[in-house]
Amino acid sequence: MSAVLAALYPWTKALHIIAVISWMAGLLYLPRLFVYHCAAERGSSSSETFKVMERRLLRAIMNPAMIAAYVFGLSLLLTPGIVDWQSGWIYAKLGLVAVLTWHHHRQASWMKEFAADRNERPARFFRMQNEVPTLLMIVIVIMVVVRPF
Ligand code: HEM
């Protein structure tokens, strides 16, 4: 098992990065759709179009990309010699990934509110929420590449 993971390491890392990029693209784009959706009248054809776009983005891209990021990320964790469990960066990274995952689920619950025409939040709220995954992504990448502690 360890030998297989070690042999596959470059591929696992490439697939992890591809999955993370796809997940981040969705986490950054879905709140933008919510911003425009706020301006569409309930029941209008544009509101219905936003519902379809939001559902497809979450179900067809974000959910599978998140699962793939976890599967390949966990495989990297199990690859011998990759993570030194005495260093702090890996705990910081995994903690921030947990916050990112929580944010993913918040976005999914907002999508359900829009789908049921029950959103009461203003466009400004979704504009501000857009900063959350951006900040998390910056710190996560610094943790895994710079490994400051
Ligand atoms: C989903 C849970 C995740 C787990 C379990 C995980 C775990 C890991 C591990 C163990 C590595 C290997 C480090 C190495 O090869 O040196 C890695 C690499 C990497 N991860 Fe993650 N990760 C996760 C999510 C993320 C997220 C959300 C991001 C970015 C927003 C990210 C960005 C990266 C990058 C850029 C690398 C490559 C770093 C390098 O060049 O060595 N990961 N990840």
Side-chain angles (χ1 to χ4, degrees):
M1 174 74 173
S2 296
V4 173
L5 284 173
L8 291 176
Y9 170 64
W11 286 100
T12 313
K13 187 147 112 173
L15 292 169
H16 178 60
I17 293 171
I18 292 165
V20 160
I21 290 171
S22 312
W23 186 20
M24 286 306 307
L27 285 169
L28 295 171
Y29 188 46
L30 190 57
R32 291 306 308 167
L33 288 177
F34 294 155
V35 169
Y36 299 127
H37 199 158
C38 284
E41 207 174 304
R42 273 177 202 173
S44 64
S45 69
S46 59
S47 172
E48 296 307 307
T49 305
F50 280 124
K51 287 182 190 177
V52 174
M53 291 169 77
E54 288 156 4
R55 194 180 61 240
R56 288 200 183 145
L57 181 61
L58 185 76
R59 303 257 163 88
I61 296 179
M62 292 169 67
N63 286 344
M66 177 180 69
I67 292 165
Y70 267 92
V71 168
F72 296 119
L74 292 174
S75 307
L76 289 169
L77 284 180
L78 297 172
T79 304
I82 298 305
V83 175
D84 169 13
W85 292 99
Q86 307 302 316
S87 328
W89 67 267
I90 187 66
Y91 300 99
K93 173 175 173 168
L94 294 178
L96 293 167
V97 169
V99 179
L100 198 65
T101 306
W102 169 69
H103 187 72
H104 174 109
H105 287 100
R106 288 172 78 212
Q107 291 197 359
S109 72
W110 298 330
M111 192 217 70
K112 284 184 193 138
E113 286 178 7
F114 273 110
D117 288 323
R118 276 193 289 104
N119 172 59
E120 300 295 338
R121 295 181 172 84
R124 199 169 62 88
F125 172 82
F126 296 112
R127 256 189 222 108
M128 280 162 53
Q129 289 301 323
N130 227 3
E131 308 305 327
V132 176
T134 310
L135 293 174
L136 288 168
M137 181 260 298
I138 291 169
V139 185
I140 290 171
V141 171
I142 291 172
M143 286 303 128
V144 82
V145 176
V146 181
R147 303 184 176 194
F149 46 82

